[in-house]
Amino acid sequence: GTLLAAYETKRRGHDPEIIYYLFLPMVIWGTIGARLWHIFTPPLSSVQLGLTTGYYLTHPLDVLALWVGGFGIPGAIIGGVVVLLAFSYSNEIPFWTLADLLAPGLALAQGIGRIGNYFNQELYGLPTDMPWGMFIDPARRLVGYEDAHFYHPLFAYESLLNFANLFLLLWLTRKFSDRLKTGDLFLIYLAAYSVIRFSLEFLRLDVALIGGWNINQVFF
């Protein structure tokens, strides 16, 4: 994602070193934001294991146990935006210009990252008898679904749709570069991903509920 963003930055007449400078801060703060989102909006699988917000607040060292629990993309987006705002202010580069340069790389990174859910047997949807249904080990099944063997591979759906979002963004920057205003590309990325995530949440079993609301759908 970083390499693609650097390439697009150079192609559009900017210094690609900007992207490499942003890489580490965005990874760090994106990870922090993603972890905090998980802690304050734990999904059902974590709640069933007792890993609630209250648990983390009383066991603060477990917040650092990144291999226990998980991360949330909304928090990663928030953390990344904070970094961009700070970088934009300190270097006098328009925030929306930076956001546009990063948008295609973000979509690519998300598409690749979702593949990791396959190996962790997570982010699966409702039980299904479709040929592409994903087998979930009994230990990974949610309470109430112990007898269901195959589930919708939501990670694959989202990965493919993120790649589609990537190609849309790349096409727009080449076909309509003279019509796009600064910030349009990033807003299109956000709009497309919001539709993707909001829609797929209807199929997801391991949702994060706050007051009975799916907090990820509320956010997007």
Side-chain angles (χ1 to χ4, degrees):
T2 300
L3 292 174
L4 174 61
Y7 173 82
E8 286 295 295
T9 298
K10 184 177 181 179
R11 187 184 69 82
R12 296 174 64 178
H14 300 280
D15 185 359
E17 289 297 320
I18 294 173
I19 304 300
Y20 298 124
Y21 184 85
L22 278 168
F23 173 75
L24 189 57
M26 290 198 72
V27 167
I28 293 174
W29 286 100
T31 300
I32 292 173
R35 183 61 172 171
L36 290 176
W37 185 270
H38 168 80
I39 289 168
F40 289 105
T41 64
L44 290 177
S45 60
S46 292
V47 172
Q48 290 171 358
L49 294 174
L51 300 175
T52 63
T53 300
Y55 171 84
Y56 282 113
L57 292 178
T58 55
H59 299 77
L61 290 180
D62 284 352
V63 172
L64 303 177
L66 303 182
W67 54 92
V68 179
F71 304 88
I73 285 180
I77 293 175
I78 294 172
V81 167
V82 169
V83 170
L84 275 191
L85 287 171
F87 184 85
S88 170
Y89 177 79
S90 62
N91 291 273
E92 298 183 347
I93 301 175
F95 168 84
W96 292 108
T97 297
L98 293 172
D100 280 347
L101 296 175
L102 289 171
L106 289 174
L108 174 59
Q110 285 178 280
I112 296 172
R114 277 299 179 208
I115 298 173
N117 297 130
Y118 169 78
F119 299 100
N120 291 338
Q121 290 207 331
E122 59 192 5
L123 194 58
Y124 53 87
L126 295 167
T128 182
D129 56 2
M130 296 293 185
W132 56 83
M134 176 183 180
F135 177 79
I136 300 296
D137 291 332
R140 294 284 186 175
R141 298 172 193 169
L142 292 176
V143 174
Y145 293 90
E146 293 86 354
D147 295 330
H149 301 289
F150 294 91
Y151 299 78
H152 282 284
L154 284 193
F155 77 91
Y157 300 165
E158 184 172 331
S159 181
L160 291 173
L161 289 170
N162 278 321
F163 287 134
N165 192 12
L166 162 66
F167 291 121
L168 170 65
L169 296 173
L170 293 178
W171 178 72
L172 288 173
T173 59
R174 287 156 173 79
K175 186 71 173 179
F176 301 102
S177 59
D178 57 333
R179 301 184 192 178
L180 291 173
K181 297 178 181 179
T182 303
D184 281 353
L185 200 67
F186 184 68
L187 292 177
I188 291 170
Y189 154 78
L190 283 181
Y193 184 68
S194 293
V195 171
I196 292 170
R197 187 60 183 271
F198 184 88
S199 302
L200 291 180
E201 285 290 320
F202 286 111
L203 286 175
R204 187 170 180 174
L205 288 177
D206 195 17
V207 297
L209 298 176
I210 302 294
W213 292 83
N214 184 327
I215 191 60
N216 288 311
Q217 284 186 317
V218 172
F219 179 85
F220 288 110

